[in-house]
């Protein structure tokens, strides 16, 4: 049985390094992408403050993302590549840090309470397989340090998982 440990949040760099250490331990020996996504979503939702949604969308065709494991309120099931923050992150194969979702053209509001968003693409073998999506009810919740931390977590997930 795996037990998460609380992490001091006064230094974001240290926080994300410890979160990465816990994620490696949690995923050790498991290759299933869905099981690992479920556990990463739970770990993040449990330990990262001020989130109202944490989860995955997986690329099921070259044109569409489909909802994967998540924590939070019910979510949009399908998102077209190039649409909204998640679809844009896939189309551009880069992380999207959005301080105020109301200022993002074409934002898809799955939860009206969300005010800021960070989306990190899942990249393996030089190809995008989906995204890790994080929403917060607080405008400006995410900073460059959060983006770097979640990019590291997404890389750990991608390396540990059999993505196809």
């Amino acid at each position: 049985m795996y037990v998460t440990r609380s992490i001091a949040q006064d230094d974001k760099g240290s926080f994300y390094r410890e979160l990465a250490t816990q994620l490696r331990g949690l995923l050790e020996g498991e290759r299933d992408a869905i099981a690992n996504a479920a556990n990463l979503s739970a770990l993040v939702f449990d330990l990262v403050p001020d989130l109202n949604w944490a989860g995955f969308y997986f690329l099921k065709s070259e044109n569409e993302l489909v909802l994967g494991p998540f924590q939070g309120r019910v979510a949009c099931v399908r998102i077209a590549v190039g649409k909204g923050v998640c679809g844009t992150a896939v189309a551009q194969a880069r992380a999207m840090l959005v301080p105020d979702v109301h200022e993002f053209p074409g934002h898809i509001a799955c939860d009206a309470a969300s005010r800021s968003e960070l989306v990190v693409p899942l990249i393996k073998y030089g190809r995008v397989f989906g995204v890790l999506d994080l929403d917060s009810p607080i405008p400006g919740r995410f900073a460059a340090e959060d983006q770097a931390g979640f990019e590291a977590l997404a890389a750990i997930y991608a390396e540990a998982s059999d993505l196809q």
Side-chain angles (χ1 to χ4, degrees):
M1 180 171 106
Y2 187 86
V3 178
T4 59
R5 297 180 309 276
S6 294
I7 307 171
Q9 297 173 17
D10 51 344
D11 173 18
K12 280 190 179 186
S14 295
F15 173 82
Y16 284 108
R17 283 190 295 280
E18 174 59 25
L19 191 57
T21 297
Q22 289 195 40
L23 178 60
R24 283 187 194 93
L26 182 60
L27 302 185
E28 185 176 352
E30 182 55 63
R31 302 290 297 162
D32 186 85
I34 298 301
N36 286 345
N39 272 332
L40 175 51
S41 297
L43 179 72
V44 165
F45 202 74
D46 187 34
L47 295 178
V48 177
D50 302 320
L51 298 181
N52 61 322
W53 203 90
F56 290 81
Y57 282 91
F58 291 107
L59 203 54
K60 294 297 182 178
S61 73
E62 61 186 48
N63 300 320
E64 186 176 55
L65 290 161
V66 177
L67 180 65
F70 70 93
Q71 300 283 311
R73 293 184 178 201
V74 296
C76 301
V77 175
R78 297 176 186 276
I79 298 174
V81 171
K83 302 294 182 186
V85 181
C86 290
T88 301
V90 169
Q92 297 181 10
R94 68 177 184 92
M96 304 291 296
L97 192 159
V98 181
D100 184 349
V101 296
H102 298 302
E103 300 297 319
F104 188 88
H107 175 254
I108 300 169
C110 297
D111 179 353
S114 294
R115 292 295 312 277
S116 58
E117 188 168 5
L118 174 60
V119 178
V120 177
L122 306 171
I123 300 174
K124 191 170 185 175
Y125 313 121
R127 181 179 138 207
V128 177
F129 286 85
V131 297
L132 171 58
D133 182 20
L134 307 143
D135 292 356
S136 173
I138 299 169
R141 159 63 183 86
F142 303 106
E145 286 178 299
D146 298 295
Q147 180 177 329
F150 278 105
E151 287 173 334
L153 296 175
I156 292 166
Y157 165 80
E159 179 62 31
S161 302
D162 285 329
L163 293 171
Q164 308 202 358

